[in-house]
Amino acid sequence: MSVCDEVRQDGDPRDHGGQGRQNLALLCFYPHRAMEARLLATLAAEGFDDLTIAQGRIAARIGPGGTRLTDLAAQALVTKQTANHLVDQLERAGYVRRVPDPTDGRARLVQIAGRGQAVVALARRVEAEVEAEWTAHLGEEVTAQLRAALERLREITDPYR
Amino acid sequence: MSVCDEVRQDGDPRDHGGQGRQNLALLCFYPHRAMEARLLATLAAEGFDDLTIAQGRIAARIGPGGTRLTDLAAQALVTKQTANHLVDQLERAGYVRRVPDPTDGRARLVQIAGRGQAVVALARRVEAEVEAEWTAHLGEEVTAQLRAALERLREITDPYR
DNA sequence: ACCATTTAGTCAGGTGGTCTGACCATCGTC
DNA sequence: GACGATGGTCAGACCACCTGACTAAATGGT
């Protein structure tokens, strides 16, 4: 999915795939989508079938000691309302809990709760597995180059670096 | 946004950004998101403020000679219903048109229509501009390596290659 | 101390995107 | 020419997300 790929330069009428030079952003999209799909499918298969993509995107940004709702919203690039809504669902399902922030009476920290720990562990395994497959396909050196380039690119494309 | 980043390995309590080693899929996500946001903002600023992200994602996959709805849906990984709905909107707004497929009485080809041509041209310009910025940041050689690595990765992550 | 401003979070209402399920028309084949 | 597969549409529902308006607590200047 991508507004990015607003365009295709290849010239084959009725083309179905697109062999032309694709823009970089679109190329970035495929691995991301593949990982997301794989992760969601595996989690569902292992019994966590009540997780949605949006919930995962929020949950993924919870730090070890808990994270404020506002920070979650900012990092995920959604509004506080949306983040709040998703955290509500996650809390109801037992994946996270909200505790008061000891350093700020207004704030509460969203923390991974019991059921969430299991999901995180599983997700970590799947991630490592998929990355290993990619490394096997690309080779160690190219993978390292890829990671380095993406990390540098992040400097100018991630507003919350 | 990413279920991909289900996990963070860094250990700083109350961390807000994440300096630890990020998984590759998440790293892929930042450039994609940045391009999408830039594209949407520019298009809106130039008067195409009735375009949504989802519409762009569908429109982006229309080939020069037109593309079938089913193919658009498959490539964008959405259902035919969703694709149809989005094409309806694009058609109503004058960006695309539907013509009968001469080779198949059941099918119709979605083609870029008058107003869509202007968008495509503008989008192409913005894409080139953003890629140029990235190249300036990374350097020619690293950019070329990045593209090559992503293209190879696409071989195993894009089901509609 | 006090008030103004900012920040954390919530509530209400609405739109858009996406899905599942059921359905019709046409194609290709035996 | 009948039948399974394919292209597309219709109906209804849910989820994600947004804008706008609001409360409560922290912060900073006088």
Side-chain angles (χ1 to χ4, degrees), chain A residues 29-130:
Chain A
F29 171 63
Y30 299 117
H32 177 259
R33 179 173 70 179
M35 175 72 91
E36 200 167 59
R38 178 82 165 264
L39 216 23
L40 203 63
T42 307
L43 292 182
E46 296 289 327
F48 304 106
D49 55 350
D50 55 345
L51 272 173
T52 68
I53 295 175
Q55 288 168 11
R57 286 173 185 169
I58 287 292
R61 292 174 163 80
I62 299 175
T67 305
R68 291 186 187 182
L69 184 67
T70 301
D71 294 331
L72 292 179
Q75 289 171 36
L77 289 196
V78 299
T79 59
K80 291 185 294 179
Q81 291 86 332
T82 297
N84 192 39
H85 179 59
L86 295 170
V87 169
D88 279 347
Q89 299 174 338
L90 288 169
E91 191 171 33
R92 243 179 285 122
Y95 290 112
V96 306
R97 64 170 159 263
R98 288 187 240 229
V99 302
D101 185 336
T103 72
D104 189 331
R106 297 167 300 178
R108 297 158 76 185
L109 295 176
V110 179
Q111 296 179 331
I112 300 288
R115 201 161 168 236
Q117 303 286 359
V119 176
V120 168
L122 176 55
R124 223 167 250 178
R125 279 217 316 279
V126 175
E127 275 178 4
E129 196 177 300
V130 173

